[in-house]
Amino acid sequence: MSGKIERPLREITAARLSLGAGSGAVSTQEQLRFQMDHALARDAVHAAMDAALLVRGVREREVESVVLRSAVTGGRTEYLRRPDLGRRLAVESREMLCEIASLPAAEVVFVVADGLSALAVDRHALGLMDAVRERLDGWTVGPVCVVTQGRVAVGDEIGELLGAKVVVMLIGERPGLSAADSLGVYVTWEPRVGRMDAERNCVSNVRDGGLGYVEAAERVVGLMRGAKALGASGVRLKDAADSKLL
Amino acid sequence: MGYSLTIRGVTHRFEDLKRLLAWATPARSGDELAGVAAPSAEMRVVAQMTLAEVPLRRFAEELVVPYEADAVSRLIVDGWASEAGQAAFAVVSGLTVGEFRDWLLSDAATGERLAALAPGLMPEMVAAVSKLMRVQDLIAVARKIEVVTRFRTTVGLRGRLATRLQPNHPTDDPLGIAASMLDGLLLGSGDAVVGVNPVSDSVERVTGLLRMIDAVRVRYAIPTQSCVLAHVTTQMEAMRATSGRTAAPVDLVFQSIAGSEKANASFGVTLELLAEADAMARELKRGGIGAEVGGENVFYFETGQGSALSAGAAFGVDQQTMEARAYAVARRYKPMLVNTVVGFIGPEYLYDGKQILRAGLEDHFCGKMLGLPMGCDVCYTNHAEADGDDMDALLTMLGAAGVNYIMGVPGADDVMLNYQSTSFQDALYLRKVMGLKVAPEFETWLAGDGFGRLKAVAEPRMLLGGAE
C-alpha cells in the first residue's frame, strides 16, 4: 500500500508509525530498534539495585538510612511470581525496624524500593527525594528505608512500624519499550498492613523525557499536604483535588 | 461426594470438583500464587485422569461457586436448566469429560452441531474438557466453529481475519490518535473496531474521542464501528443527551468482565447494569449493513485469566475455569466482539511464553465453544518471560484456529498501556500465510473511492479536518 506517512511524526506521538516498506513487512532497522528497546526493558527488570550506592548518597545528605529486604528469598524469579512476598518485610528486617521504632516517630518516611526497575531507582531516587525534601516545610522526616525486592505495599508495613503519618514510596515502574527507567511515587496516609491500592495516590513516569523532578516533587508535596488536610489519601483525596480543579 | 482414582495400587481422592479442576489444569503461575495448583506433575495427570471420568452432568450438580452466593453461577445454571439449554445439551448428556473430548475431535462433531450445542454447555464443562486437550486439539476443534457477528462489518466468517485498530496515546491527544489511526487504516487495519483506551475516564473526553473517530469514519465512508474503552457507566452517561450536550455517537459499548459476581463488582458492574447499557446502545440503532438498520451486536467485552484472583474473587477456583465463566456473562448479551487480553496481566498469573500461548488457545477454544465471537490480544509485558517470537507462535496458531480478530497496534508497541501486542504488519503476515481476507464490507471499501481519498491524506492533521 502507498500513503507512507511523512515524518516528523515523533512530535505528535511516540507510536511506531509507518514501520514498513510497501510489502507490509517491518524493516530490518525498525525490527532491530524494537529488539533493542525490549532488551533494555528486560535488563532493567532483572537488574539488581545498588543499595550501597544509594545509602552512600543518602549519607552524603546527612540523613539516616536503613537497608531492608522483603520476604522474597528466591531472587528475581520468585519476586516476579510472588507479589505477596514482595509486599511484606523479611523477619530480620522487621526486627531491625522495631529497634529503630523506639525512637520518636517522624511524620514522613521515605521508602525506596527496586520494584520492577532497579535502573529507575539508581537514576532518579536521590534526585527526586532531594526535590521533595526541599519543598517540605514543617514536617519531621524519619530515616530513608531502602528495600530490595520490594513492592509498593511493603511501605505500609514500614510506615506502620515506624509510626509514620505518611509514607512516600519511590519505586521502579514496570519498564515499557519507550523507557526502562521510569520511577513511580506513591503517597499513603496512615500506612498500615492491609491498605488497599485505592487508598494511595501515585505520581507516575518520573524520568528524562517524562515527568521532571521539580514537577513531580510539587505534585508529591501537594498530595502530602492534601492528605494531611483530609486525613486520608487515595480516591477520596483524588476526588477532592479534582473537584477543586473544576 | 468426592472423586477418586486408583492407579498403580494407590487410590487418590479429591474432595471436590473445584480441587479436581484446579489440579488438572496445566501449570500456570496464577494457580500457584493462589495455592490451588497441583503439587506435582504426577498429581496433575492423576487429576486429569480422574476428571476424564466425571460425567458432564455432574457440573450442574456441584457448582464451583455456590448458586446462592453468586449471580454468575445463577446465570450459568438457570441457562443450562432452561428448555433451550436442555434441548441443546441432550446431544452430549450421557458423556463423561473424557468422552466429550473424543467426540469433539471426531468428524461427528461438525461446526453446525457445535454451534447448536453451545447454549447447552456450562463454562465449567468446557473448561474441564480443555484441560484434557493438547494445543492441537484446542486448535482443531475451535477451527470448526464459526461465530459471526455484525454491526457495520461482518466479523468471524470463515476465511476472514479482522483487526481492532488500537490507536492509543498517552495523553489522549487527538492528533496523536489520528496519526496511529491513519497508519493503521492505510495498512488495512480496523475492520473489527477502531477502539481507543482513553487515559481519562471523563464523559467529556470520551465523547470528544467518539466524535473524532466517528467524523473520520463518516468522512471516508469506512465500514467499521468505533469504541472508546472507558467504564461502562461513563459510556452510558455519554449516550444520554442532556440540555448542554447531544448524545455521543456510541457504536460498541465496552466493558471488562470476569467470572464471578464479586469480581464483576470489583470492576464496578452487575449483570443488570450491563443489560441496561446493552438496551441503551441498541436503542441508538447506529449499526446496520446494507438496507438493515441497527446492528445485531453492540457489546465489546474484554476478559483475561487471573482477573478474578487479582480481585480476590476467585473462590479457590483455578483461573482458567474462572475465565470460562466470564464467557457465560458475555454470551448473555450477544456481543459483537470478545477479547481475551491474555498476556497483559503479568507473570504472576501467566509466567512465560509457554503459559501465555496455551492460555490464549484455551480462551479462544472455550469462548468459541460457548458461542462467542472470540478475538485475542496476543500480548506480553516486559516483566514476563516472553518475547516477540512467543507472540508469533500464538498469533500463527490462533490463525490456524480461526480467531475472529486480533489487535492492530503501531509497531506492536502500545505507548499508552505500556505493553506489546500485535502490529498492523502482524495481521498482514497472518493473512498472507493463512490465506485470510479482511471483513467483506471492509474489503469492498479498500478497493473503492473512500480508501482512495484516505491514501491522499499526507498527514494526520488532514484526517481531523472538519472534526469538531
Side-chain angles (χ1 to χ4, degrees), chain B residues 161-165 188-194 404-408 427 431:
Chain B
L161 171 78
T163 48
R164 165 192 167 187
L165 173 47
S189 181
D191 47 343
V193 63
V194 177
N404 282 28
Y405 70 102
I406 57 170
M407 308 308 118
R431 288 195 185 118

Side-chain angles (χ1 to χ4, degrees), chain A residues 4-34:
Chain A
K4 183 171 171 166
I5 299 171
E6 298 300 321
R7 308 209 178 242
L9 284 168
R10 287 269 164 259
E11 291 155 28
I12 300 173
T13 178
R16 291 167 200 253
L17 301 177
S18 293
L19 300 179
S23 66
V26 173
S27 69
T28 302
Q29 191 187 349
E30 284 296 339
Q31 168 59 14
L32 290 174
R33 185 167 80 88
F34 182 97

Side-chain angles (χ1 to χ4, degrees), chain B residues 34-54:
Chain B
V36 302
S40 68
E42 182 193 2
M43 287 312 296
R44 175 167 294 119
V45 182
V46 169
Q48 288 170 346
M49 288 173 161
T50 311
L51 182 61
E53 311 263 299
V54 174

Side-chain angles (χ1 to χ4, degrees), chain B residues 47-115:
Chain B
Q48 288 170 346
M49 288 173 161
T50 311
L51 182 61
E53 311 263 299
V54 174
L56 289 179
R57 266 187 187 289
R58 182 71 199 148
F59 291 90
E61 294 159 13
E62 185 186 336
L63 303 185
V64 293
V65 182
Y67 185 90
E68 303 72 29
D70 185 75
V72 177
S73 287
R74 293 195 286 278
L75 176 69
I76 291 168
V77 176
D78 294 350
W80 178 82
S82 71
E83 203 173 315
Q86 286 301 294
F89 181 67
V91 183
V92 294
S93 63
L95 303 183
T96 61
V97 176
E99 291 164 348
F100 187 35
R101 174 184 171 278
D102 290 333
W103 181 76
L104 288 174
L105 290 166
S106 76
D107 289 339
T110 60
E112 293 69 30
R113 281 195 180 144
L114 291 174

Side-chain angles (χ1 to χ4, degrees), chain B residues 172-399:
Chain B
D172 294 338
D173 175 45
L175 200 56
I177 289 170
S180 291
M181 265 179 75
L182 180 58
D183 199 39
L185 288 166
L186 289 171
L187 287 166
S189 181
D191 47 343
V193 63
V194 177
V196 180
N197 296 86
V199 178
S200 161
D201 204 71
S202 81
V203 176
E204 290 69 27
R205 181 74 65 86
V206 169
T207 302
L209 289 175
L210 283 165
R211 290 199 200 290
M212 189 272 273
I213 300 168
D214 201 54
V216 173
R217 177 186 71 79
V218 171
R219 187 169 311 118
Y220 296 95
I222 309 168
T224 189
Q225 32 283 335
S226 58
C227 187
V228 175
L229 286 70
H231 192 265
V232 66
T233 51
T234 307
Q235 297 165 85
M236 289 165 80
E237 189 59 34
M239 273 188 269
R240 285 190 192 101
T242 62
S243 52
R245 187 185 67 224
T246 53
V250 173
D251 289 343
L252 302 186
V253 181
F254 165 80
Q255 183 55 44
S256 288
I257 53 170
S260 73
E261 182 181 351
K262 189 177 172 191
N264 285 317
S266 82
F267 291 151
V269 297
T270 60
L271 300 179
E272 293 73 27
L273 183 71
L274 295 176
E276 197 186 324
D278 189 52
M280 281 179 80
R282 286 178 191 282
E283 188 64 27
L284 296 180
K285 296 195 184 345
R286 291 184 48 82
I289 297 170
E292 73 181 271
V293 176
E296 295 165 27
N297 312 96
V298 298
F299 247 122
Y300 171 22
F301 289 122
E302 284 189 353
T303 67
Q305 290 189 25
S307 61
L309 176 60
S310 170
F315 296 89
V317 178
D318 69 86
Q319 67 184 34
Q320 191 250 333
T321 301
M322 286 309 279
E323 170 72 5
R325 284 169 54 92
Y327 304 153
V329 175
R331 72 173 166 181
R332 177 178 167 179
Y333 307 98
K334 299 186 169 45
M336 177 72 190
L337 306 164
V338 178
N339 176 18
T340 170
V341 192
V342 64
F344 188 75
I345 194 156
E348 61 267 45
Y349 299 95
L350 294 167
Y351 184 65
D352 55 15
K354 183 176 171 67
Q355 294 190 4
I356 292 171
L357 181 137
R358 183 168 167 104
L361 292 165
E362 285 169 349
D363 294 350
H364 177 256
F365 163 82
C366 290
K368 285 279 172 77
M369 285 291 291
L370 294 167
L372 290 176
M374 292 305 292
C376 182
D377 192 343
V378 174
C379 64
Y380 63 108
T381 58
N382 287 323
H383 61 323
E385 289 291 322
D387 60 20
D389 286 345
D390 296 305
M391 297 306 108
D392 286 348
L394 176 55
L395 174 69
T396 309
M397 289 189 194
L398 282 167

